[in-house]
Amino acid sequence: MTLQPDTFKSLVKVAAEQVIASAPELTALDQAIGDGDHGTNMKRGFEAVLSKLDAIGSQPLAEAVKTVGRTLVMTVGGASGPLYGSFFLAAGEALSRKTLPEDLAEVFGSGVDAVSARGRSQAGEKTMLDVLVPVLETLRANAGRADLIERVRATANEAVARTAPMQATRGRASFLGPRSVGHIDPGARSSCVLLHAVCEGLEGKQ
Ligand code: ADP
Ligand code: MG
């Protein structure tokens, strides 16, 4: 797997389109345990990313990833904007020192650490980290395997489902206490949508 700026541009396009298409679902999930804005937040952010696609395609990969991060910080809003923004800013920063595909888990891990630091959160609290952390573990455990993409996809799906029985202890859903149980976390779902889009883009199937 090589990741040229132009490949990244097409991945960003697929990811943005799929997030935008999933906005109604993300909104419905956030209506159940939040304030119902996650779909519109993400849609606004990824429309802004799409509008910068040409610039993203012309930048070196590390810069392009940071441009995505900066755009999300500025446009998504809510709790998720700074969190997703931090992910891409830190991953971009890591990429300026690392190489792909060898260091994929390390680069992804830098993004996960940034979310965790920014959100003062960790896996098990019913947030996007409940997808990002298991996927990081899959990347670490299966580096270089031919079925890595398939494993990432399966991990993300299983991880989203596992957020339903959790009680939220971070973010808006935590205000509901035990009433947050029984619902999928919206940010976990949007992380899954993003990861699926990247997997699909890397397989060249889209
Ligand atoms: P808001 O909660 O401000 O309305 P969004 O609805 O856009 O923002 O995003 C909500 C999602 O953000 C949650 O479903 C959760 O996955 C994620 N989130 C919220 N707080 C945190 C946190 N402290 N750490 C990690 N993720 C968080
Ligand atoms: Mg919300």
Side-chain angles (χ1 to χ4, degrees), residues 11-89:
L11 287 183
V12 170
K13 183 166 185 288
V14 181
E17 285 168 354
Q18 295 198 5
V19 167
I20 291 166
S22 74
E25 180 198 354
L26 299 176
T27 289
L29 293 174
D30 200 32
Q31 274 163 349
I33 55 169
D35 56 356
D37 64 352
H38 191 53
T40 45
N41 287 346
M42 295 295 282
K43 182 168 183 281
R44 185 171 55 245
F46 279 89
E47 280 171 352
V49 167
L50 275 185
S51 76
K52 293 191 185 163
L53 209 54
D54 286 337
I56 286 167
S58 68
Q59 291 172 327
L61 183 59
E63 266 320 301
V65 174
K66 283 196 259 182
T67 298
V68 171
R70 256 182 246 115
T71 307
L72 295 177
V73 169
M74 288 189 296
T75 57
V76 174
S80 58
L83 293 168
Y84 276 124
S86 301
F87 181 95
F88 287 98
L89 283 168

Side-chain angles (χ1 to χ4, degrees), residues 28-205:
L29 293 174
D30 200 32
Q31 274 163 349
I33 55 169
D35 56 356
D37 64 352
H38 191 53
T40 45
N41 287 346
M42 295 295 282
K43 182 168 183 281
R44 185 171 55 245
F46 279 89
E47 280 171 352
V49 167
L50 275 185
S51 76
K52 293 191 185 163
L53 209 54
D54 286 337
I56 286 167
S58 68
Q59 291 172 327
L61 183 59
E63 266 320 301
V65 174
K66 283 196 259 182
T67 298
V68 171
R70 256 182 246 115
T71 307
L72 295 177
V73 169
M74 288 189 296
T75 57
V76 174
S80 58
L83 293 168
Y84 276 124
S86 301
F87 181 95
F88 287 98
L89 283 168
E93 190 54 42
L95 267 173
S96 56
R97 292 172 275 110
K98 304 282 175 192
T99 48
L100 292 180
E102 299 84 350
D103 301 324
L104 177 62
E106 262 188 84
V107 169
F108 193 86
S110 301
V112 175
D113 287 347
V115 172
S116 182
R118 177 101 203 186
R120 291 191 292 275
S121 48
Q122 53 195 338
E125 296 186 293
K126 196 178 180 101
T127 71
M128 59 178 72
L129 285 172
D130 288 303
V131 166
L132 298 176
V133 170
V135 166
L136 174 59
E137 284 159 9
T138 292
L139 290 177
R140 281 187 179 138
N142 298 283
R145 289 183 62 136
D147 61 350
L148 180 62
I149 289 179
E150 210 35 65
R151 282 168 185 261
V152 165
R153 214 193 312 260
T155 300
N157 282 343
E158 289 157 17
V160 168
R162 279 200 306 271
T163 65
M166 290 180 183
Q167 180 170 327
T169 54
R170 277 285 182 272
R172 232 171 251 283
S174 66
F175 306 156
L176 294 179
R179 281 187 293 131
S180 64
V181 172
H183 303 275
I184 283 170
D185 176 65
R189 179 65 189 137
S190 59
S191 290
C192 181
V193 169
L194 279 166
L195 285 157
H196 270 245
V198 171
C199 287
E200 196 179 304
L202 286 173
E203 283 174 335
K205 269 194 196 158

